[in-house]
Amino acid sequence: MASQISDMKAIVKRAAEAAGFDLAGVAPASDAAELKYFPEWIAAGHAGEMKYLEARDDRGDLKRSSIARVAPWARSVVVCAINYNTENPYSTQVRDAERGWISRYAWSQDDYHEAVLRRLKQVEAALRQAMPAEQRPALTTRSYVDTGPIVERIFAKYAGVGWIGKNTCIIHQKKGSWLFLGVILTSLELAPDMPAPDRCGTCTRCIEACPTDAILAPYQLDSNKCISYLTIEKRGSIPEEMRVGMGRHVFGCDICQDVCPWNRKAPVATAPEFESRPGLVNPALAWLAEMSAEEFREVFRGSPIRRTKRSGLRRNAAIAMGNSGNKEFLPLLDQLVGDEDQSVRESADWAKTRLLTSVEE
């Protein structure tokens, strides 16, 4: 039986490689020590408005704090990772005041959820196919890409895919942190891999570089202060005290990864789905702010950028213009002050005041 389990694990890893994943490993479907901090994180309000993270079972316990609450049948977690890095510059290397920043993961031709899930399904099918025919009916599997009530990065650590960095991202010593994660829960008990050792050492560059102080301490993130959360998940107006720190970010933020030494030699992705869409690397702020509903639907069809909605993207673009130091945006901001969307109006008014009262950067 042990030999069979070992063979099955090898089959899974070969299937992951054949599906295009860069890394794959197996973690036990047990509650890791890190999960005990999740309820404390939620109780402190650090999830912001992301209520889906607070999903609870019938007893009122947080689902994400224990895998047994959502998948009591699971014995192993297969974790796969794929690189999405590109040859384009990092956000810390660009200075064009007329342009904003969209996070690296959202430049792609495909929504990463679908691109990664397609590959996971191949691995899942290979796992099922490798089982003896008479045992297949008893096998249970579930694949997730950011959609399941589990904390993927913790299982990624215990699957040996990478360690959890001080910025809370998974980091691999050769691949860096530009990684999409996908997991397969299975009722099959596979031999787990060794957990990845933490190689952050004494480095605190990610903490020091965060312009909004979202990384409260090593491994502790307050979503309410995170630029990614503010530009994507936050609805309505963004708190004024957070706007200056957002700089020219309009969707997500890469700063804590851009400054990470482990990303200096991060390889470029080979998956065609993750090639950059034209215009999304350092997009023109005026273009985003004036985008019609029809153009938004057309440009961002199949893109994760749809999550922020057109109103959120235009709100973010207005704030970015206020932080640009470029007074040529004033006529456009005058127009946006009369916009039908309240958050766009209010952000544009703030941006006008900032441009008129601050020294040009």
Side-chain angles (χ1 to χ4, degrees), residues 146-257:
D146 281 354
T147 54
I150 54 177
V151 186
E152 291 94 340
R153 64 181 179 275
I154 292 178
F155 292 101
K157 170 187 172 177
Y158 286 94
V161 168
W163 71 91
I164 301 173
K166 291 177 181 176
N167 60 1
T168 74
C169 295
I170 281 291
I171 306 174
H172 184 270
Q173 66 183 101
K174 293 184 178 179
K175 304 292 184 182
S177 66
W178 308 111
L179 298 169
F180 289 134
L181 299 177
V183 299
I184 302 172
L185 309 186
T186 174
S187 58
L188 186 64
E189 191 162 352
L190 302 171
D193 286 287
M194 291 294 293
D198 189 325
R199 299 182 186 276
C200 283
T202 59
C203 179
T204 55
R205 295 185 188 183
C206 58
I207 299 174
E208 295 160 3
C210 179
T212 54
D213 298 322
I215 308 175
L216 305 178
Y219 319 107
Q220 297 180 36
L221 178 74
D222 183 353
S223 297
N224 296 287
K225 296 182 176 182
C226 179
I227 295 172
S228 287
Y229 167 80
L230 292 169
T231 56
I232 300 172
E233 303 290 346
K234 183 75 176 73
R235 299 296 177 236
S237 294
I238 291 173
E240 283 197 33
E241 66 272 17
M242 304 306 304
R243 296 177 190 177
V244 172
M246 288 169 56
R248 295 193 302 279
H249 291 80
V250 295
F251 186 91
C253 178
D254 296 329
I255 292 174
C256 67
Q257 297 187 81

